[in-house]
Amino acid sequence: MNTIDVTMALVVGGLFAIGFYLMLQRSLMRIVLGFILLGHGTNLLLLVAGGTPGRPPVPTGTTEASARTADPLPQAMALTAIVITFGLTAFLMALAYRSWRLSGHDEVHDDVEDRLIGTARERADAGPESGRDEAGPAPDRDDGGTAPGEAR
């Protein structure tokens, strides 16, 4: 392992860390920038996986030269990742612009209905409360202290 491999590993790790950090923010522009940094980190990772640069892509005829050829697959995957990143970035930018035009800012708000569903699910998972009987609430009583339909 040489110095360039360690440097590229640190750069790729830094791009991924900063990209994930930005994607966890509430601002849509920071989310888009985080996605762009993740795309750049992925491209660098694929290019580092390709091996040492400068090898010939086609062997010259000797068996020793054919063992030292460049692997074209990481380069093809990097080009594919560039196209996918560009398309998704354009889509995310359009969504962020539309959200900014509708609300006047790019902050993502909490979904109130989602929180209500979450709290209802937590209450259902908690089971019956400690003060209540498992059969349910007590029956309604009338004036005489007996349940409706009971004899006095």
Side-chain angles (χ1 to χ4, degrees):
M1 181 175 271
N2 55 18
T3 308
I4 191 72
D5 291 338
V6 173
T7 304
M8 289 301 284
L10 290 174
V11 169
V12 168
L15 284 173
F16 275 117
I18 294 170
F20 280 122
Y21 174 76
L22 287 174
M23 287 185 76
L24 293 174
Q25 303 297 314
R26 290 210 174 263
S27 171
L28 290 176
M29 284 309 298
R30 288 185 182 194
I31 293 172
V32 171
L33 289 174
F35 183 78
I36 291 170
L37 287 178
L38 281 178
H40 287 309
T42 303
N43 293 336
L44 282 177
L45 179 67
L46 289 172
L47 291 177
V48 167
T52 309
R55 293 183 188 170
V58 179
T60 57
T62 63
T63 58
E64 185 179 310
S66 65
R68 295 187 329 231
T69 60
D71 187 12
L73 184 62
Q75 296 173 5
M77 290 178 70
L79 287 174
T80 304
I82 289 170
V83 171
I84 291 170
T85 302
F86 179 73
L88 282 175
T89 301
F91 178 68
L92 289 174
M93 290 289 286
L95 287 178
Y97 179 72
R98 178 70 177 160
S99 175
W100 179 75
R101 292 285 291 182
L102 288 175
S103 65
H105 51 80
D106 68 343
E107 186 83 15
V108 178
H109 294 290
D110 287 338
D111 188 9
V112 178
E113 291 179 11
D114 188 38
R115 283 195 176 204
L116 291 175
I117 291 171
T119 55
R121 185 175 297 140
E122 288 172 3
R123 280 185 275 154
D125 291 341
E129 297 178 70
S130 59
R132 282 186 30 194
D133 199 11
E134 293 224 8
D140 293 328
R141 303 274 180 181
D142 61 358
D143 305 356
T146 60
E150 287 183 6
R152 289 190 190 182

